[in-house]
Amino acid sequence: MSENDLEERVLAANNQFYQALSYGDLQSMIELWLHSDQAQCIHPGWNRLQGWLNIEKSWRMIFENSNRVPVIPGNPQVSFCEQMAWVNCIENIAAPETSPHAIKTICTNVFQRNGDTGDWKMVVHHSSFSEVIPGPIEGNFAPLH
């Protein structure tokens, strides 16, 4: 498989993450993550969550208690090392219609390739606040299913 093919597959997994996040699709989020004690997640402003069970609980709580908010990845940069890949990007978080601002975060998403299927599974998501910008931002995703 060429490096371009690998990059496309990693970017597809990264986009799956942002679609699941934007649509509040817990099932898609569950399918994307590696269910491992080594998995880690840092939501903006949160402490580090260690292990899939804690991460799943956080996504469940976020999706049950928040309105759906488009989060659009920008400027993705993909790097590889053996069975691991990481994407550094900017997250453009749409402001609600009632807000004059949107939020940008900086993010690193780390994926591990599943040796059996070749699928890329998320093992780390780390997002930190970057800036508040005039909003709302433009953009959307095609439906997941």
Side-chain angles (χ1 to χ4, degrees), residues 56-110:
E56 179 187 17
K57 196 180 304 180
S58 76
W59 288 120
R60 190 176 301 278
M61 184 184 74
I62 289 168
F63 293 159
E64 288 174 356
N65 295 299
S66 302
N67 293 327
R68 292 183 181 166
V69 176
V71 180
I72 308 208
N75 195 29
Q77 299 172 351
V78 181
S79 300
F80 296 92
C81 182
E82 299 180 15
Q83 300 299 312
M84 303 297 291
W86 53 99
V87 180
N88 292 300
C89 63
I90 301 295
E91 295 175 332
N92 298 291
I93 304 171
E97 291 179 14
T98 58
S99 173
H101 299 96
I103 297 170
K104 280 192 177 198
T105 62
I106 51 176
C107 180
T108 301
N109 294 320
V110 180

